[in-house]
Amino acid sequence: MINIHKLKCFGTTISTGSQVIIVEDDTFTVEERLLFTQYKNESACVFMTQNNHLVTLDYYYPHARSPLCLHGTLAAGYVYFKDNPDKLRIEIVTSVYNQPISIENRVNGLFLTVTQQNIATTKIKDQEIEKLININISKVIRDPVVMSVGSPKLLIEVDSLG
């Protein structure tokens, strides 16, 4: 039977934070999961599957499937520990890259251990950087890098926004 949970993460009050839906025990295809996420129109949906003590998380935004969603992982951990109060730690894997993530249930909150993913590096042209962040290239301190713990991010260090 499908269980659906709606939670907020990263909020400082009851009315703030990023909304996420956790879906347990579904039998949807990848396409159906995307349609479900679009229909719910929340910031993210995480489909949590458990087989022989292996927990797998599959992440979706309304526009696409994602390799990783950290606030979705925290929400899935909350659901898991609520259902398994005797557990203090679980190891999960992501659906897209089988990326291992440890989730610990501590007295002061949930903690994730995520490994950095290896991704191909490419040199980004100065004109592209200026266009992307609307800043003069002279403000960039170091060469930009692409880093990832699941979904690649472009990191650009600048000395000021002026």
Side-chain angles (χ1 to χ4, degrees):
M1 180 175 163
I2 291 179
N3 292 312
I4 300 174
H5 312 270
K6 192 173 187 178
L7 299 104
K8 284 189 178 182
C9 297
F10 302 136
T12 55
T13 68
I14 193 94
S15 61
T16 63
S18 296
Q19 201 112 320
V20 63
I21 294 175
I22 306 298
V23 180
E24 294 181 281
D25 304 320
D26 72 290
T27 57
F28 298 152
T29 65
V30 168
E31 293 80 15
E32 291 168 334
R33 286 178 172 182
L34 183 57
L35 287 172
F36 176 89
T37 304
Q38 290 168 345
Y39 174 75
K40 289 297 186 180
N41 198 30
E42 295 295 348
S43 62
C45 283
V46 180
F47 295 85
M48 184 164 63
T49 308
Q50 297 183 51
N51 285 328
N52 299 325
H53 304 291
L54 176 66
V55 177
T56 304
L57 301 181
D58 197 8
Y59 308 96
Y60 291 79
Y61 299 123
H63 64 282
R65 187 179 193 197
S66 178
L68 182 66
C69 173
L70 292 179
H71 88 279
T73 303
L74 286 170
Y78 175 85
V79 168
Y80 179 86
F81 291 123
K82 186 176 176 202
D83 293 342
N84 300 278
D86 57 318
K87 304 271 184 169
L88 297 177
R89 180 185 180 106
I90 60 168
E91 302 292 328
I92 64 103
V93 295
T94 64
S95 286
V96 174
Y97 294 129
N98 285 326
Q99 180 179 6
I101 301 174
S102 296
I103 309 174
E104 290 184 63
N105 187 12
R106 299 183 191 169
V107 174
N108 55 343
L110 297 181
F111 291 82
L112 305 179
T113 303
V114 183
T115 56
Q116 179 178 322
Q117 297 294 289
N118 294 323
I119 54 176
T121 59
T122 57
K123 172 69 175 137
I124 300 157
K125 296 177 183 166
D126 290 349
Q127 300 88 340
E128 291 174 331
I129 293 167
E130 287 179 332
K131 185 176 177 183
L132 280 171
I133 62 173
N134 193 27
I135 196 168
N136 187 297
I137 198 66
S138 66
K139 299 292 183 183
V140 175
I141 295 171
R142 293 189 183 96
D143 285 339
V145 295
V146 178
M147 298 291 292
S148 177
V149 291
S151 55
K153 307 289 187 288
L154 177 61
L155 304 178
I156 303 172
E157 184 178 2
V158 297
D159 65 3
S160 72
L161 296 178

